Amino acid sequence: MTPEIDPKGTVLLVEDNPDDVALTLRAFKKNHFMNPVVVAKDGANNRLVVAQDSQHPRLMAPALTTAPFHWIHRPSPLPSLLHARIRHRQALQACRAEPLADGRLHLAFAEPQRAAVAGQYVVLYDDDECLGGGEIETTRHLPEASA
């Protein structure tokens, strides 16, 4: 297995079986790639996309879209500034919410969120009042700087 390192030296693509953790870790060690962080999994091409930078742009999501959102209380109209939480103990994160016609919700954060992925849940708040929650369907990541 021969890893490919991008021109910036930050991303490594490992081909073979991304689900074989021992094989993947041996490839990292052999290529002096310490403390790898998986930033994407490309199942179609059987690859892991890995970086050494825990703040890599592909980990940072300034926006996300939920599956149909489950409202506990929906203010009308929605306040221009709300807060959201993706992880249980995470501090509330400032965001703007845009309801979509099909019941989904688009959230744009004031600061990009680290490691928000499809399948996690996001909970929306107005001050300390919980408005509801929804499963994250898609995230938009920061663009990578060109080499």
Side-chain angles (χ1 to χ4, degrees), residues 11 37-41 48-51 53 56-59 117 141:
V11 176
V37 177
V38 176
V39 296
K41 187 173 179 179
L48 284 179
V49 181
V50 185
D53 180 3
H56 191 277
R58 289 183 75 172
L59 282 175
V117 297
H141 298 284

Side-chain angles (χ1 to χ4, degrees), residues 92-133:
L92 291 174
Q93 304 294 306
C95 66
R96 300 199 186 288
E98 177 188 344
L100 304 176
D102 56 5
R104 297 179 308 144
L105 195 65
H106 179 77
L107 298 178
F109 291 93
E111 294 292 325
Q113 301 300 297
R114 185 180 180 278
V117 297
Q120 287 180 307
Y121 280 76
V122 60
V123 179
L124 195 59
Y125 296 85
D126 184 10
D127 291 321
D128 61 352
E129 179 184 9
C130 178
L131 301 179

Side-chain angles (χ1 to χ4, degrees), residues 15-16 18 40-48:
E15 294 186 45
D16 198 358
K41 187 173 179 179
D42 178 3
N45 294 309
N46 208 23
R47 295 177 178 217
L48 284 179

